[in-house]
Amino acid sequence: MNFRRTRREEVGVNLTPLIDVVFLLLIFFMVSTTFTRETQLKLDLPESASGEPVENQNLEQIEVLVSATGEVTINGKSLINPDLDNLQTALQREAAGNNSLPVVITADAKASHQSVITVMDAAGQQGFSRLRLTTNELETPAQ
């Protein structure tokens, strides 16, 4: 008997389609991902001996933060150039035509007076009449 050895063909997996699918998924996730930059300003609030805590906080309000360096954020969205026109545009966009919303201005104790006045002026020119300033309660020494 003559037994011939048959040649074994090497079995392999073609990786080219797998690599194509991986690159397509990578491109899909890169294009569909949105990046948000969380902006939070560190504020040291001024102190006040008088004032009233807000009892009935509306869920809808416009919150304006002014940092010590003059940076301004409106409802968590930072303004690149916080001049009067940009503030008016941003307030109008956030209000969506509802000028009865309260505008809460939270300014750092070391923020320039001009920055706070500019925010108040922009709100006033847009027709907002309910402005609030945020302060810390002044601690009185125990007697």
Side-chain angles (χ1 to χ4, degrees), residues 95-136:
N98 186 3
N99 291 349
S100 65
L101 290 175
V103 177
V104 180
I105 301 172
T106 305
D108 190 282
K110 294 183 174 79
S112 71
H113 192 67
Q114 181 62 52
S115 299
V116 177
I117 294 298
T118 303
V119 171
M120 292 174 73
D121 190 26
Q125 288 183 11
Q126 288 300 313
F128 293 99
S129 60
R130 297 173 59 194
L131 299 178
R132 295 183 193 150
L133 294 173
T134 307
T135 61
N136 281 337

mmCIF file of all heavy atoms in Angstrom, residues 95-136:
data_model
loop_
_atom_site.group_PDB
_atom_site.id
_atom_site.type_symbol
_atom_site.label_atom_id
_atom_site.label_comp_id
_atom_site.label_asym_id
_atom_site.label_seq_id
_atom_site.Cartn_x
_atom_site.Cartn_y
_atom_site.Cartn_z
ATOM 1 N N ALA A 95 -34.223 83.557 27.942
ATOM 2 C CA ALA A 95 -35.586 83.844 28.373
ATOM 3 C C ALA A 95 -36.618 83.329 27.384
ATOM 4 O O ALA A 95 -37.747 83.041 27.769
ATOM 5 C CB ALA A 95 -35.777 85.338 28.575
ATOM 6 N N ALA A 96 -36.247 83.208 26.138
ATOM 7 C CA ALA A 96 -37.156 82.761 25.074
ATOM 8 C C ALA A 96 -38.437 83.597 25.058
ATOM 9 O O ALA A 96 -39.542 83.074 24.936
ATOM 10 C CB ALA A 96 -37.462 81.276 25.209
ATOM 11 N N GLY A 97 -38.282 84.910 25.228
ATOM 12 C CA GLY A 97 -39.419 85.816 25.160
ATOM 13 C C GLY A 97 -40.178 86.008 26.464
ATOM 14 O O GLY A 97 -41.089 86.813 26.525
ATOM 15 N N ASN A 98 -39.810 85.301 27.527
ATOM 16 C CA ASN A 98 -40.504 85.418 28.806
ATOM 17 C C ASN A 98 -39.723 86.360 29.720
ATOM 18 O O ASN A 98 -38.844 85.934 30.456
ATOM 19 C CB ASN A 98 -40.650 84.032 29.452
ATOM 20 C CG ASN A 98 -41.487 84.071 30.709
ATOM 21 O OD1 ASN A 98 -42.021 85.110 31.083
ATOM 22 N ND2 ASN A 98 -41.596 82.935 31.362
ATOM 23 N N ASN A 99 -40.050 87.640 29.668
ATOM 24 C CA ASN A 99 -39.324 88.633 30.461
ATOM 25 C C ASN A 99 -39.796 88.698 31.904
ATOM 26 O O ASN A 99 -39.311 89.502 32.683
ATOM 27 C CB ASN A 99 -39.445 90.020 29.825
ATOM 28 C CG ASN A 99 -38.690 90.106 28.527
ATOM 29 O OD1 ASN A 99 -37.916 89.225 28.188
ATOM 30 N ND2 ASN A 99 -38.912 91.164 27.780
ATOM 31 N N SER A 100 -40.758 87.857 32.282
ATOM 32 C CA SER A 100 -41.208 87.839 33.669
ATOM 33 C C SER A 100 -40.369 86.902 34.531
ATOM 34 O O SER A 100 -40.573 86.831 35.741
ATOM 35 C CB SER A 100 -42.680 87.432 33.735
ATOM 36 O OG SER A 100 -42.834 86.094 33.292
ATOM 37 N N LEU A 101 -39.437 86.176 33.920
ATOM 38 C CA LEU A 101 -38.571 85.290 34.697
ATOM 39 C C LEU A 101 -37.672 86.114 35.609
ATOM 40 O O LEU A 101 -37.176 87.173 35.215
ATOM 41 C CB LEU A 101 -37.681 84.452 33.769
ATOM 42 C CG LEU A 101 -38.358 83.374 32.941
ATOM 43 C CD1 LEU A 101 -37.347 82.738 31.990
ATOM 44 C CD2 LEU A 101 -38.938 82.311 33.845
ATOM 45 N N PRO A 102 -37.419 85.630 36.826
ATOM 46 C CA PRO A 102 -36.484 86.351 37.692
ATOM 47 C C PRO A 102 -35.051 86.125 37.220
ATOM 48 O O PRO A 102 -34.689 85.044 36.763
ATOM 49 C CB PRO A 102 -36.719 85.731 39.070
ATOM 50 C CG PRO A 102 -37.345 84.415 38.816
ATOM 51 C CD PRO A 102 -38.068 84.517 37.519
ATOM 52 N N VAL A 103 -34.248 87.176 37.329
ATOM 53 C CA VAL A 103 -32.821 87.099 36.992
ATOM 54 C C VAL A 103 -32.060 87.150 38.315
ATOM 55 O O VAL A 103 -32.121 88.136 39.042
ATOM 56 C CB VAL A 103 -32.393 88.254 36.068
ATOM 57 C CG1 VAL A 103 -30.897 88.202 35.796
ATOM 58 C CG2 VAL A 103 -33.171 88.207 34.760
ATOM 59 N N VAL A 104 -31.356 86.071 38.620
ATOM 60 C CA VAL A 104 -30.599 85.971 39.859
ATOM 61 C C VAL A 104 -29.135 86.257 39.524
ATOM 62 O O VAL A 104 -28.507 85.510 38.772
ATOM 63 C CB VAL A 104 -30.742 84.569 40.492
ATOM 64 C CG1 VAL A 104 -29.940 84.486 41.770
ATOM 65 C CG2 VAL A 104 -32.202 84.267 40.755
ATOM 66 N N ILE A 105 -28.606 87.336 40.070
ATOM 67 C CA ILE A 105 -27.217 87.731 39.811
ATOM 68 C C ILE A 105 -26.385 87.311 41.009
ATOM 69 O O ILE A 105 -26.598 87.788 42.122
ATOM 70 C CB ILE A 105 -27.109 89.251 39.565
ATOM 71 C CG1 ILE A 105 -27.975 89.652 38.365
ATOM 72 C CG2 ILE A 105 -25.654 89.643 39.340
ATOM 73 C CD1 ILE A 105 -28.081 91.136 38.159
ATOM 74 N N THR A 106 -25.448 86.421 40.764
ATOM 75 C CA THR A 106 -24.541 85.950 41.801
ATOM 76 C C THR A 106 -23.150 86.420 41.419
ATOM 77 O O THR A 106 -22.565 85.920 40.463
ATOM 78 C CB THR A 106 -24.583 84.407 41.899
ATOM 79 O OG1 THR A 106 -25.926 83.996 42.106
ATOM 80 C CG2 THR A 106 -23.727 83.914 43.041
ATOM 81 N N ALA A 107 -22.650 87.402 42.155
ATOM 82 C CA ALA A 107 -21.355 87.999 41.825
ATOM 83 C C ALA A 107 -20.368 87.747 42.961
ATOM 84 O O ALA A 107 -20.739 87.748 44.134
ATOM 85 C CB ALA A 107 -21.504 89.502 41.590
ATOM 86 N N ASP A 108 -19.138 87.532 42.588
ATOM 87 C CA ASP A 108 -18.069 87.364 43.566
ATOM 88 C C ASP A 108 -17.895 88.658 44.346
ATOM 89 O O ASP A 108 -18.156 89.751 43.836
ATOM 90 C CB ASP A 108 -16.769 86.994 42.835
ATOM 91 C CG ASP A 108 -15.679 86.562 43.775
ATOM 92 O OD1 ASP A 108 -15.060 87.449 44.397
ATOM 93 O OD2 ASP A 108 -15.439 85.346 43.898
ATOM 94 N N ALA A 109 -17.451 88.541 45.602
ATOM 95 C CA ALA A 109 -17.261 89.728 46.439
ATOM 96 C C ALA A 109 -16.195 90.649 45.860
ATOM 97 O O ALA A 109 -16.239 91.863 46.065
ATOM 98 C CB ALA A 109 -16.873 89.309 47.856
ATOM 99 N N LYS A 110 -15.261 90.107 45.094
ATOM 100 C CA LYS A 110 -14.184 90.900 44.514
ATOM 101 C C LYS A 110 -14.442 91.258 43.046
ATOM 102 O O LYS A 110 -13.576 91.802 42.384
ATOM 103 C CB LYS A 110 -12.869 90.149 44.656
ATOM 104 C CG LYS A 110 -12.438 89.996 46.099
ATOM 105 C CD LYS A 110 -11.100 89.307 46.202
ATOM 106 C CE LYS A 110 -10.617 89.278 47.616
ATOM 107 N NZ LYS A 110 -11.192 88.287 48.456
ATOM 108 N N ALA A 111 -15.637 90.950 42.555
ATOM 109 C CA ALA A 111 -15.987 91.311 41.180
ATOM 110 C C ALA A 111 -16.097 92.825 41.072
ATOM 111 O O ALA A 111 -16.496 93.497 42.025
ATOM 112 C CB ALA A 111 -17.306 90.653 40.784
ATOM 113 N N SER A 112 -15.749 93.336 39.908
ATOM 114 C CA SER A 112 -15.815 94.788 39.743
ATOM 115 C C SER A 112 -17.276 95.235 39.735
ATOM 116 O O SER A 112 -18.172 94.528 39.269
ATOM 117 C CB SER A 112 -15.131 95.212 38.446
ATOM 118 O OG SER A 112 -15.895 94.813 37.331
ATOM 119 N N HIS A 113 -17.475 96.399 40.280
ATOM 120 C CA HIS A 113 -18.815 96.981 40.343
ATOM 121 C C HIS A 113 -19.355 97.161 38.932
ATOM 122 O O HIS A 113 -20.548 96.955 38.685
ATOM 123 C CB HIS A 113 -18.732 98.319 41.082
ATOM 124 C CG HIS A 113 -20.047 98.886 41.468
ATOM 125 N ND1 HIS A 113 -20.863 98.288 42.400
ATOM 126 C CD2 HIS A 113 -20.703 99.987 41.026
ATOM 127 C CE1 HIS A 113 -21.960 99.020 42.531
ATOM 128 N NE2 HIS A 113 -21.883 100.049 41.715
ATOM 129 N N GLN A 114 -18.475 97.495 38.007
ATOM 130 C CA GLN A 114 -18.882 97.716 36.613
ATOM 131 C C GLN A 114 -19.443 96.445 35.985
ATOM 132 O O GLN A 114 -20.426 96.493 35.244
ATOM 133 C CB GLN A 114 -17.695 98.230 35.790
ATOM 134 C CG GLN A 114 -18.042 98.513 34.341
ATOM 135 C CD GLN A 114 -19.096 99.602 34.220
ATOM 136 O OE1 GLN A 114 -18.953 100.675 34.775
ATOM 137 N NE2 GLN A 114 -20.169 99.317 33.492
ATOM 138 N N SER A 115 -18.863 95.279 36.300
ATOM 139 C CA SER A 115 -19.362 94.014 35.736
ATOM 140 C C SER A 115 -20.790 93.740 36.187
ATOM 141 O O SER A 115 -21.638 93.329 35.393
ATOM 142 C CB SER A 115 -18.464 92.857 36.162
ATOM 143 O OG SER A 115 -17.151 93.035 35.703
ATOM 144 N N VAL A 116 -21.064 93.984 37.466
ATOM 145 C CA VAL A 116 -22.406 93.743 37.997
ATOM 146 C C VAL A 116 -23.398 94.739 37.404
ATOM 147 O O VAL A 116 -24.511 94.374 37.017
ATOM 148 C CB VAL A 116 -22.403 93.814 39.538
ATOM 149 C CG1 VAL A 116 -23.800 93.631 40.100
ATOM 150 C CG2 VAL A 116 -21.456 92.772 40.110
ATOM 151 N N ILE A 117 -23.003 95.991 37.302
ATOM 152 C CA ILE A 117 -23.882 97.019 36.734
ATOM 153 C C ILE A 117 -24.167 96.722 35.269
ATOM 154 O O ILE A 117 -25.294 96.919 34.798
ATOM 155 C CB ILE A 117 -23.259 98.425 36.904
ATOM 156 C CG1 ILE A 117 -23.175 98.789 38.387
ATOM 157 C CG2 ILE A 117 -24.042 99.475 36.135
ATOM 158 C CD1 ILE A 117 -24.516 98.859 39.087
ATOM 159 N N THR A 118 -23.184 96.222 34.533
ATOM 160 C CA THR A 118 -23.393 95.875 33.124
ATOM 161 C C THR A 118 -24.427 94.767 32.997
ATOM 162 O O THR A 118 -25.303 94.822 32.124
ATOM 163 C CB THR A 118 -22.061 95.449 32.470
ATOM 164 O OG1 THR A 118 -21.107 96.502 32.615
ATOM 165 C CG2 THR A 118 -22.245 95.140 31.002
ATOM 166 N N VAL A 119 -24.362 93.765 33.871
ATOM 167 C CA VAL A 119 -25.358 92.684 33.848
ATOM 168 C C VAL A 119 -26.734 93.235 34.178
ATOM 169 O O VAL A 119 -27.734 92.916 33.511
ATOM 170 C CB VAL A 119 -24.960 91.561 34.826
ATOM 171 C CG1 VAL A 119 -26.076 90.551 34.980
ATOM 172 C CG2 VAL A 119 -23.688 90.870 34.370
ATOM 173 N N MET A 120 -26.822 94.095 35.192
ATOM 174 C CA MET A 120 -28.104 94.673 35.577
ATOM 175 C C MET A 120 -28.663 95.558 34.461
ATOM 176 O O MET A 120 -29.870 95.556 34.197
ATOM 177 C CB MET A 120 -27.954 95.471 36.869
ATOM 178 C CG MET A 120 -27.650 94.608 38.073
ATOM 179 S SD MET A 120 -27.290 95.561 39.559
ATOM 180 C CE MET A 120 -28.922 96.146 39.960
ATOM 181 N N ASP A 121 -27.792 96.306 33.801
ATOM 182 C CA ASP A 121 -28.211 97.176 32.707
ATOM 183 C C ASP A 121 -28.739 96.350 31.531
ATOM 184 O O ASP A 121 -29.774 96.681 30.940
ATOM 185 C CB ASP A 121 -27.033 98.050 32.278
ATOM 186 C CG ASP A 121 -27.427 99.149 31.327
ATOM 187 O OD1 ASP A 121 -28.601 99.581 31.355
ATOM 188 O OD2 ASP A 121 -26.564 99.597 30.541
ATOM 189 N N ALA A 122 -28.041 95.267 31.200
ATOM 190 C CA ALA A 122 -28.479 94.406 30.094
ATOM 191 C C ALA A 122 -29.837 93.789 30.404
ATOM 192 O O ALA A 122 -30.720 93.734 29.545
ATOM 193 C CB ALA A 122 -27.448 93.314 29.829
ATOM 194 N N ALA A 123 -30.029 93.352 31.651
ATOM 195 C CA ALA A 123 -31.318 92.769 32.038
ATOM 196 C C ALA A 123 -32.421 93.825 31.987
ATOM 197 O O ALA A 123 -33.534 93.554 31.525
ATOM 198 C CB ALA A 123 -31.221 92.162 33.438
ATOM 199 N N GLY A 124 -32.129 95.024 32.468
ATOM 200 C CA GLY A 124 -33.121 96.087 32.441
ATOM 201 C C GLY A 124 -33.516 96.497 31.034
ATOM 202 O O GLY A 124 -34.687 96.746 30.752
ATOM 203 N N GLN A 125 -32.534 96.562 30.124
ATOM 204 C CA GLN A 125 -32.830 96.939 28.754
ATOM 205 C C GLN A 125 -33.622 95.863 28.016
ATOM 206 O O GLN A 125 -34.317 96.167 27.044
ATOM 207 C CB GLN A 125 -31.543 97.259 27.997
ATOM 208 C CG GLN A 125 -30.915 98.555 28.437
ATOM 209 C CD GLN A 125 -29.675 98.887 27.631
ATOM 210 O OE1 GLN A 125 -29.383 98.261 26.621
ATOM 211 N NE2 GLN A 125 -28.931 99.885 28.084
ATOM 212 N N GLN A 126 -33.529 94.617 28.466
ATOM 213 C CA GLN A 126 -34.309 93.538 27.851
ATOM 214 C C GLN A 126 -35.702 93.416 28.460
ATOM 215 O O GLN A 126 -36.480 92.572 28.050
ATOM 216 C CB GLN A 126 -33.562 92.203 27.986
ATOM 217 C CG GLN A 126 -32.351 92.094 27.105
ATOM 218 C CD GLN A 126 -32.718 92.236 25.632
ATOM 219 O OE1 GLN A 126 -33.657 91.619 25.159
ATOM 220 N NE2 GLN A 126 -31.977 93.053 24.913
ATOM 221 N N GLY A 127 -36.014 94.226 29.463
ATOM 222 C CA GLY A 127 -37.350 94.246 30.036
ATOM 223 C C GLY A 127 -37.518 93.387 31.277
ATOM 224 O O GLY A 127 -38.637 93.199 31.747
ATOM 225 N N PHE A 128 -36.446 92.888 31.837
ATOM 226 C CA PHE A 128 -36.543 92.105 33.073
ATOM 227 C C PHE A 128 -36.688 93.065 34.241
ATOM 228 O O PHE A 128 -35.921 94.006 34.385
ATOM 229 C CB PHE A 128 -35.291 91.243 33.275
ATOM 230 C CG PHE A 128 -35.148 90.147 32.259
ATOM 231 C CD1 PHE A 128 -34.313 90.312 31.162
ATOM 232 C CD2 PHE A 128 -35.842 88.962 32.393
ATOM 233 C CE1 PHE A 128 -34.179 89.313 30.230
ATOM 234 C CE2 PHE A 128 -35.712 87.957 31.460
ATOM 235 C CZ PHE A 128 -34.883 88.131 30.373
ATOM 236 N N SER A 129 -37.684 92.822 35.083
ATOM 237 C CA SER A 129 -37.902 93.703 36.222
ATOM 238 C C SER A 129 -37.687 92.992 37.552
ATOM 239 O O SER A 129 -37.687 93.633 38.589
ATOM 240 C CB SER A 129 -39.314 94.286 36.170
ATOM 241 O OG SER A 129 -40.262 93.231 36.204
ATOM 242 N N ARG A 130 -37.524 91.694 37.537
ATOM 243 C CA ARG A 130 -37.335 90.935 38.777
ATOM 244 C C ARG A 130 -35.874 90.520 38.875
ATOM 245 O O ARG A 130 -35.479 89.459 38.411
ATOM 246 C CB ARG A 130 -38.246 89.705 38.764
ATOM 247 C CG ARG A 130 -39.723 90.089 38.734
ATOM 248 C CD ARG A 130 -40.623 88.903 38.546
ATOM 249 N NE ARG A 130 -40.436 87.929 39.615
ATOM 250 C CZ ARG A 130 -40.895 86.696 39.554
ATOM 251 N NH1 ARG A 130 -41.529 86.275 38.490
ATOM 252 N NH2 ARG A 130 -40.706 85.867 40.561
ATOM 253 N N LEU A 131 -35.071 91.386 39.477
ATOM 254 C CA LEU A 131 -33.646 91.117 39.657
ATOM 255 C C LEU A 131 -33.372 90.790 41.117
ATOM 256 O O LEU A 131 -33.908 91.426 42.015
ATOM 257 C CB LEU A 131 -32.803 92.327 39.240
ATOM 258 C CG LEU A 131 -32.909 92.784 37.790
ATOM 259 C CD1 LEU A 131 -32.058 94.015 37.558
ATOM 260 C CD2 LEU A 131 -32.513 91.679 36.848
ATOM 261 N N ARG A 132 -32.514 89.798 41.347
ATOM 262 C CA ARG A 132 -32.101 89.440 42.707
ATOM 263 C C ARG A 132 -30.590 89.375 42.746
ATOM 264 O O ARG A 132 -29.948 88.925 41.807
ATOM 265 C CB ARG A 132 -32.641 88.061 43.098
ATOM 266 C CG ARG A 132 -34.113 87.964 43.184
ATOM 267 C CD ARG A 132 -34.491 86.562 43.649
ATOM 268 N NE ARG A 132 -35.899 86.351 43.461
ATOM 269 C CZ ARG A 132 -36.449 85.181 43.207
ATOM 270 N NH1 ARG A 132 -35.699 84.106 43.126
ATOM 271 N NH2 ARG A 132 -37.743 85.065 43.051
ATOM 272 N N LEU A 133 -30.040 89.806 43.854
ATOM 273 C CA LEU A 133 -28.608 89.687 44.092
ATOM 274 C C LEU A 133 -28.394 88.653 45.192
ATOM 275 O O LEU A 133 -29.078 88.679 46.213
ATOM 276 C CB LEU A 133 -27.993 91.024 44.509
ATOM 277 C CG LEU A 133 -28.000 92.115 43.445
ATOM 278 C CD1 LEU A 133 -27.517 93.425 44.027
ATOM 279 C CD2 LEU A 133 -27.127 91.717 42.272
ATOM 280 N N THR A 134 -27.451 87.771 45.000
ATOM 281 C CA THR A 134 -27.176 86.710 45.963
ATOM 282 C C THR A 134 -26.060 87.150 46.889
ATOM 283 O O THR A 134 -25.015 87.646 46.444
ATOM 284 C CB THR A 134 -26.750 85.426 45.239
ATOM 285 O OG1 THR A 134 -27.736 85.118 44.261
ATOM 286 C CG2 THR A 134 -26.611 84.267 46.187
ATOM 287 N N THR A 135 -26.279 86.983 48.206
ATOM 288 C CA THR A 135 -25.254 87.296 49.209
ATOM 289 C C THR A 135 -25.244 86.210 50.262
ATOM 290 O O THR A 135 -26.176 85.416 50.354
ATOM 291 C CB THR A 135 -25.521 88.651 49.901
ATOM 292 O OG1 THR A 135 -26.769 88.582 50.562
ATOM 293 C CG2 THR A 135 -25.506 89.800 48.906
ATOM 294 N N ASN A 136 -24.196 86.201 51.053
ATOM 295 C CA ASN A 136 -24.145 85.358 52.254
ATOM 296 C C ASN A 136 -24.633 86.182 53.426
ATOM 297 O O ASN A 136 -24.439 87.404 53.470
ATOM 298 C CB ASN A 136 -22.712 84.887 52.531
ATOM 299 C CG ASN A 136 -22.313 83.728 51.650
ATOM 300 O OD1 ASN A 136 -23.147 82.996 51.152
ATOM 301 N ND2 ASN A 136 -21.036 83.566 51.448
#
